[in-house]
Amino acid sequence: MANEISPSHQLARRYRIQFAIGGLLLASLVAPSLIHSAASIGTLRNLPALWLPEDLPVRQEFFRFIHEFAVTDALMVTWPNARLEDPSVVSAMAWIEPMSSEFMQGRPVPEQYFEDEQYGPMLRLSGDSYPFHWVRSGEQMVDQLSSPPLKLTDRQAANRLRGSFIGPDLTQTCLILSLDLRTLDNHQQLLPLIRRGIARAVNCPESEVVMVGAPADGVAIDSAAIRSIARFSLPSSAIAAILCLLCLRSIVLSATIVAVAMIAQGMVLASIYYAGYDLNAVLIILPTFVFVLTISAGVHLSNYFREMLHCEPAADRVAIVQAAMARGYKPCTMSVVTTVVGLLSLLLVRIQPVQIFGLAAAGALLFSLGMLFLMLPGAMLLARGPRLQDTQSDEFTTRPASSASTLMQLFELTVKHRAVVFLAFAMLTVAAAVGLSQLRSSVRILNMFADDSPLNLSYHWYEEHIGPTMTGELLVTFDTKDNGNPNERFDTVHSIHQALLKAEGIGGVNSAVTFLPNLPTGGGLANVTTRAVIRSMIQEDSSPLYKLGFLRRTKQQEIWRVTFRLFQTDQVPADERLHTIETQTASILSKLASNQRPRIALTGYIVIVEQTQTILLQDLVRSFLAAFVLIAFFMSIMVGNVIGGLLSMIPNMIPTLVLFGMMGWCEYSLDIGSVMTASVALGIAVDDTLHLLAHFRAARRKGCELTSSARDAMRYCGVAMLHTTVICGSSLAIFYASEFKPTQRFAIFMGALLVMAWLGVTILLPAMMTSRIGRWLASR
């Protein structure tokens, strides 16, 4: 019988086998987490139109517009010497027109183009097709207006094109390129080739070629986001590893937790790649979110072991590990499950990337929890070295006395001044609620980069020398079953066109009206002839109006396109300008007979972006409320009553309310980098709350009074809560150095939310536990 293995040794052996299996699994995932996460980052692109639900009218209208007018991503290009009648404009057009399917009249690409030093790479990036639908220059448009039937002078023509193709000085001009959809995945490589080619053609430095518009925005955002990930992800993980080591004072425990967190954040990106989705600005914070919550769960689980070891230093190590895991399983599982429930509530948001965020993050957290449960018992055994019986040399027997004593002093102060704590948090909540009503969102590209960034400088230069850059489209659709009077339709569109020209903050207005004479009212021969010319140009598909893409006609309807632009540098929100357009258009149409009123649709890039942001904010509020209800339900199960479950959510909600309320008071706009932090904060705050309440309830079940139970819970969990806040906050702080403002703001907001959540759980929750509220949170 001497060879029988004791249960303790069997359990120790099982823990070591689990640790080895977990280590092998992590090792097997290193390659895919590195390779396929990098592949996922390589797919980074932002296409708001594809984020919207397919059945949403604004998305359907946008794609109908693309189909009808063959206008996709418009790239606006200029340079200092791009002036009317300057040879450089002709040279640029001569270089780029052979890459336009309209100029080449749909003929196959000539074989020699593929061998060309400049054309070849561009063709390969566009699927061996022409990279552009069409190309327009200001000089080309002036020539069009100077030709019959208008025969305008050059100055008159330039005035009509002011703000779109011609600058305020009536000489500075530009090129506008409509990129083929097949180039969509390759804008990162294509735009530098375009810049280089134009610079060579006009004989100027590449740095002087100014490029703005949706394609340039996308490339700038994608490049900045990729640089942020490449520069700061590894240092952030290194900071977390060092702080874990300092807080836990165990290389094995720290390395295990950080390894699981790093593999989890790599695999969550890889999972997006496997699912066939592209990375974007919404999903860019996903790996950081998973990393932070994994570290938090690992530190809390390790804290159970550290506390058990401190309380019973002479006990058998295996028994301590078993007891620690037994105490940690339930609260750690509950904290992750509640966070997963909150994440799954993001499925209520109609924006596709947000839904992917919820599903991917939920799966990654469950994976992390499983890996921590698998590996940490073995890591706890290995943490002290090979001698299982020698507890005197254990590295954990020295408690962090300074941190613990400071936290206990804070606890005693909180209990002593409970009324002040309640009053302070109540006042903060009321002030925050008022601030929330003033909260606004912003999707301005300029706000995503520093003022001296190349993109910001390009936009400021372009809008100063040419005109506004955010493109929108107003589609005016007439029913032509009765064939009606074309001149009456022209008169309606003319009124809309002129109203937009006079509207403040709106410029660059172009439509068929730009290329038609003014509609005369007299009865003379010249006036009759002019009206006949206008009618003929509207009705004939071969007229320039159709070629330039401002008019489309079917058997049943006639669609007039009115293009307008808004200033990126305008301080008035774009949605207010769009509302002005809708109001003025409605006012004009109200004067028409009901059977003559056309259908009006606002679309274009700026409309899609604004609609995406609006839906995102609306649905995130709904999702957050759903997460609150679901998490409160789980908390109610834990504490044993509904009232207690709702009360336990107060410390979790207040941090988010206070921070976003302060944003409203400070008139700080929400952007992509900050709007997702609410769900992140709720997950982290609930994590700490569950662990503190678990110990509080355990003490109450033993018959302890409220204050002593709360004191015991704080003594047990306080240091771990502080450690998770310090580790997670510090590892995120490095992202503040990012040039990409959404990433920078995410780091700031996350740091502030972590601190606010820690204050809520460390100050407000103990005050609640030691008051009469504590009886609802845990009964004896």
Side-chain angles (χ1 to χ4, degrees):
M1 302 296 290
N3 293 328
E4 284 189 9
I5 301 175
S6 67
S8 176
H9 280 80
Q10 287 180 338
L11 192 57
R13 182 182 179 185
R14 193 184 85 187
Y15 287 158
R16 288 194 180 95
I17 291 173
Q18 287 179 195
F19 184 79
I21 292 173
L24 289 173
L25 181 58
L26 289 182
S28 68
L29 293 175
V30 169
S33 69
L34 288 175
I35 297 171
H36 296 132
S37 64
S40 180
I41 293 170
T43 67
L44 185 67
R45 58 186 56 86
N46 294 279
L47 302 170
L50 298 179
W51 298 355
L52 297 172
E54 294 183 2
D55 59 348
L56 199 68
V58 69
R59 170 173 166 153
Q60 294 174 346
E61 193 65 52
F62 180 71
F63 283 101
R64 183 170 76 94
F65 161 70
I66 290 176
H67 174 73
E68 292 288 347
F69 292 94
V71 177
T72 52
D73 287 340
L75 182 68
M76 293 167 267
V77 185
T78 188
W79 55 95
N81 290 329
R83 298 182 175 276
L84 293 177
E85 300 182 1
D86 190 282
S88 66
V89 178
V90 177
S91 299
M93 287 293 288
W95 176 78
I96 208 165
E97 275 184 330
M99 291 290 95
S100 162
S101 56
E102 179 188 76
F103 181 81
M104 299 299 286
Q105 299 179 352
R107 295 191 300 269
V109 180
E111 288 295 329
Q112 65 268 25
Y113 281 16
F114 290 100
E115 305 300 325
D116 187 88
E117 178 186 350
Q118 296 185 56
Y119 290 159
M122 294 174 60
L123 291 168
R124 286 187 285 273
L125 289 172
S126 55
D128 293 341
S129 182
Y130 297 105
F132 309 109
H133 284 299
W134 47 259
V135 183
R136 307 273 188 265
S137 72
E139 189 159 322
Q140 190 182 57
M141 294 295 100
V142 169
D143 291 343
Q144 179 71 45
L145 291 171
S146 303
S147 303
L150 269 71
K151 296 183 180 179
L152 300 178
T153 65
D154 287 352
R155 187 170 185 83
Q156 289 173 329
N159 262 314
R160 285 203 178 193
L161 298 170
R162 187 193 305 210
S164 56
F165 285 92
I166 308 295
D169 63 355
L170 299 184
T171 58
Q172 183 73 39
T173 186
C174 65
L175 309 182
I176 298 182
L177 294 71
S178 176
L179 274 67
D180 192 284
L181 279 175
R182 283 167 287 195
T183 68
L184 200 58
D185 293 340
N186 299 308
H187 284 180
Q188 286 271 9
Q189 297 81 27
L190 181 62
L191 265 61
L193 293 177
I194 297 172
R195 183 189 298 274
R196 188 177 307 126
I198 289 177
R200 288 179 180 177
V202 304
N203 194 27
C204 78
E206 288 185 36
S207 59
E208 291 186 4
V209 177
V210 177
M211 300 173 64
V212 296
D217 298 347
V219 168
I221 292 171
D222 297 347
S223 299
I226 290 171
R227 284 195 297 271
S228 292
I229 295 173
R231 291 177 183 175
F232 302 114
S233 292
L234 192 58
S236 174
S237 301
I239 290 172
I242 292 169
L243 289 175
C244 265
L245 183 59
L246 293 175
C247 292
L248 299 179
R249 289 170 298 152
S250 168
I251 294 175
V252 177
L253 280 177
S254 302
T256 301
I257 294 170
V258 173
V260 172
M262 291 184 68
I263 293 297
Q265 72 172 351
M267 289 307 298
V268 77
L269 285 178
S271 67
I272 294 173
Y273 175 75
Y274 297 147
Y277 294 108
D278 293 337
L279 206 62
N280 51 59
V282 176
L283 296 174
I284 202 68
I285 66 172
L286 181 56
T288 305
F289 173 77
V290 171
F291 184 85
V292 165
L293 287 188
T294 303
I295 292 287
S296 178
V299 170
H300 272 294
L301 199 53
S302 298
N303 182 64
Y304 287 92
F305 169 65
R306 299 173 74 245
E307 289 296 331
M308 292 293 294
L309 192 64
H310 174 77
C311 295
E312 302 180 44
D316 177 64
R317 172 57 64 90
V318 179
I320 290 175
V321 173
Q322 185 181 22
M325 293 303 297
R327 293 197 68 175
Y329 275 130
K330 183 178 179 180
C332 283
T333 302
M334 282 291 291
S335 66
V336 170
V337 168
T338 52
T339 304
V340 166
V341 168
L343 287 168
L344 293 179
S345 70
L346 293 177
L347 295 176
L348 296 174
V349 180
R350 290 168 289 171
I351 305 298
Q352 186 194 61
V354 179
Q355 296 177 342
I356 297 171
F357 183 99
L359 283 173
L365 288 181
L366 292 174
F367 166 80
S368 298
L369 182 66
M371 290 302 299
L372 290 173
F373 282 164
L374 182 68
M375 296 187 69
L376 278 183
M380 292 171 186
L381 282 182
L382 296 171
R384 70 176 291 273
R387 295 179 294 170
L388 290 175
Q389 282 75 32
D390 182 9
T391 59
Q392 299 304 316
S393 62
D394 196 283
E395 58 186 307
F396 292 115
T397 55
T398 304
R399 288 173 56 79
S402 58
S403 298
S405 61
T406 302
L407 287 171
M408 294 316 300
Q409 290 173 8
L410 179 62
F411 172 82
E412 298 299 338
L413 191 64
T414 297
V415 174
K416 184 178 179 181
H417 301 286
R418 254 196 323 262
V420 176
V421 170
F422 288 146
L423 180 62
F425 275 92
M427 291 175 64
L428 277 173
T429 304
V430 172
V434 176
L436 284 175
S437 63
Q438 304 174 33
L439 198 59
R440 296 292 182 267
S441 63
S442 172
V443 292
R444 292 187 183 278
I445 296 298
L446 303 191
N447 292 343
M448 295 185 179
F449 299 90
D451 293 339
D452 58 351
S453 67
L455 188 70
N456 267 1
L457 294 176
S458 295
Y459 269 109
H460 282 283
W461 197 95
Y462 191 97
E463 293 197 339
E464 179 183 350
H465 292 86
I466 301 290
T469 53
M470 293 192 295
T471 304
E473 307 285 347
L474 184 67
L475 302 183
V476 186
T477 304
F478 294 91
D479 190 347
T480 57
K481 289 179 182 179
D482 58 357
N483 208 19
N485 187 338
N487 288 347
E488 290 180 358
R489 299 195 291 273
F490 168 74
D491 192 42
T492 300
V493 176
H494 183 275
S495 299
I496 295 172
H497 183 108
Q498 293 301 317
L500 295 188
L501 279 176
K502 296 174 184 176
E504 185 179 358
I506 300 170
V509 182
N510 275 317
S511 70
V513 173
T514 307
F515 301 92
L516 288 172
N518 292 327
L519 187 65
T521 56
L525 179 62
N527 292 339
V528 171
T529 303
T530 300
R531 286 196 292 271
V533 168
I534 293 174
R535 184 184 303 107
S536 172
M537 291 183 70
I538 293 172
Q539 291 179 323
E540 292 180 7
D541 294 348
S542 59
S543 77
L545 302 181
Y546 292 87
K547 181 180 178 181
L548 293 172
F550 290 108
L551 193 60
R552 286 292 178 268
R553 185 183 180 86
T554 67
K555 292 181 179 179
Q556 298 181 338
Q557 62 184 17
E558 191 175 78
I559 308 172
W560 296 62
R561 171 188 167 209
V562 182
T563 299
F564 60 89
R565 294 193 194 144
L566 307 179
F567 286 92
Q568 283 277 8
T569 52
D570 191 358
Q571 296 305 309
V572 177
D575 59 342
E576 293 187 19
R577 299 299 190 198
L578 295 176
H579 180 69
T580 299
I581 292 173
E582 290 178 323
T583 303
Q584 293 188 347
T585 305
S587 175
I588 292 170
L589 299 185
S590 65
K591 300 173 184 177
L592 301 176
S594 57
N595 62 336
Q596 296 179 335
R597 290 176 191 168
R599 295 187 299 278
I600 299 295
L602 262 178
T603 187
Y605 180 74
I606 183 59
V607 176
I608 286 291
V609 171
E610 287 292 327
Q611 186 69 22
T612 301
Q613 183 73 356
T614 300
I615 292 176
L616 180 63
L617 290 176
Q618 291 175 347
D619 288 2
L620 276 175
V621 171
R622 184 176 62 173
S623 165
F624 188 75
L625 292 175
F628 174 84
V629 172
L630 291 170
I631 293 175
F633 171 75
F634 278 92
M635 297 295 282
S636 300
I637 294 175
M638 179 184 176
V639 301
N641 62 88
V642 175
I643 295 176
L646 292 173
L647 290 171
S648 68
M649 292 298 293
I650 293 175
N652 305 325
M653 288 291 294
I654 287 180
T656 305
L657 291 175
V658 169
L659 189 64
F660 282 88
M662 288 172 60
M663 288 179 60
W665 279 111
C666 298
E667 298 182 351
Y668 195 94
S669 298
L670 279 172
D671 65 3
I672 294 295
S674 55
V675 77
M676 296 292 290
T677 53
S679 58
V680 178
L682 189 60
I684 293 172
V686 167
D687 192 13
D688 288 340
T689 299
L690 275 161
H691 288 284
L692 196 63
L693 282 178
H695 289 290
F696 176 67
R697 288 174 55 77
R700 288 286 286 162
R701 283 196 295 269
K702 295 177 182 177
C704 298
E705 295 298 327
L706 291 172
T707 301
S708 60
S709 298
R711 185 181 292 111
D712 182 64
M714 180 57 68
R715 185 180 293 114
Y716 206 97
C717 289
V719 174
M721 293 191 301
L722 178 62
H723 285 172
T724 57
T725 302
V726 170
I727 294 169
C728 297
S730 300
S731 65
L732 290 171
I734 192 171
F735 285 98
Y736 179 71
S738 172
E739 64 183 279
F740 190 42
K741 293 293 184 179
T743 302
Q744 187 186 89
R745 292 182 189 122
F746 175 72
I748 296 171
F749 278 40
M750 276 298 299
L753 282 168
L754 284 166
V755 172
M756 290 297 298
W758 180 79
L759 290 174
V761 180
T762 307
I763 295 178
L764 180 58
L765 186 55
M768 294 170 62
M769 291 191 298
T770 55
S771 69
R772 292 183 179 179
I773 297 173
R775 302 182 188 279
W776 291 102
L777 299 176
S779 58
R780 282 193 293 187

